[in-house]
Amino acid sequence: MKTLFFLMVILLAGCSHIVVKSAVKKDLSVSELSATMAYGAMKELNNLDSDIEKDLLVRLYQSPIFGESCFIETQGVCRNNYYLAVSTFDEFPESTVFKLKMVGEVIEMQWIRESKYDYVEIEFTLNSYTKEALTNNKSLVKAQKKYC
């Protein structure tokens, strides 16, 4: 009886480990996920370029990077991290989240027309710092980059 109970506890512990491991995927840490949910903003990208038919649901999440010191005599958000959530419109939708390598502040987005199914290409234009940071600290360089 003790052996059976011990085997059952080991089995349940192993199953709980698998569930936790699969819940945190795509190299997103729990702190990144919680910061995005608590302080972030979401933008529905399917509303871009309404003349293009979209076969994926795409959302952009913006999460502030805390602890940077670009403001003079005060605190604020200097730059943001970005995450892209993509989902299919199927009967059993598949979804995934990607951490984008771009940081700064998105100022423009454009959905690029593609003929491939379940494929999306979006062009982002970013400032290197947020509008508030550039207003507060005139010594910051206002540089723009495009990402696709």
Side-chain angles (χ1 to χ4, degrees), residues 29-46:
S29 70
V30 174
S31 62
E32 286 177 313
L33 182 61
S34 63
T36 302
M37 292 176 72
Y39 304 109
M42 188 267 298
K43 183 155 198 127
E44 187 81 39
L45 298 187
N46 285 53

Side-chain angles (χ1 to χ4, degrees), residues 28-139:
L28 295 178
S29 70
V30 174
S31 62
E32 286 177 313
L33 182 61
S34 63
T36 302
M37 292 176 72
Y39 304 109
M42 188 267 298
K43 183 155 198 127
E44 187 81 39
L45 298 187
N46 285 53
N47 298 335
L48 296 175
D49 300 324
S50 59
D51 59 327
I52 298 175
E53 185 177 342
K54 290 135 179 115
D55 54 354
L56 293 172
L57 175 63
V58 183
R59 293 179 173 155
L60 180 70
Y61 290 87
Q62 168 186 305
S63 178
I65 300 173
F66 295 110
E68 295 184 317
S69 57
C70 67
F71 280 75
I72 298 173
E73 297 181 6
T74 187
Q75 292 293 318
V77 176
C78 298
R79 300 179 301 163
N80 296 302
N81 281 319
Y82 291 95
Y83 303 89
L84 202 63
V86 181
S87 178
T88 61
F89 288 119
D90 302 337
E91 185 176 336
F92 301 103
E94 295 180 30
S95 61
T96 190
V97 176
F98 301 97
K99 180 177 182 181
L100 302 179
K101 295 188 184 213
M102 57 189 202
V103 293
E105 182 176 49
V106 172
I107 57 171
E108 187 179 333
M109 295 173 280
Q110 182 179 359
W111 193 292
I112 307 296
R113 187 180 302 274
E114 282 292 330
S115 59
K116 300 176 187 175
Y117 187 72
D118 282 350
Y119 179 83
V120 64
E121 192 170 321
I122 300 171
E123 182 179 88
F124 298 97
T125 304
L126 272 83
N127 278 339
S128 52
Y129 293 97
T130 62
K131 181 176 68 173
E132 294 80 13
L134 292 168
T135 302
N136 177 272
N137 189 345
K138 302 294 183 194
S139 67

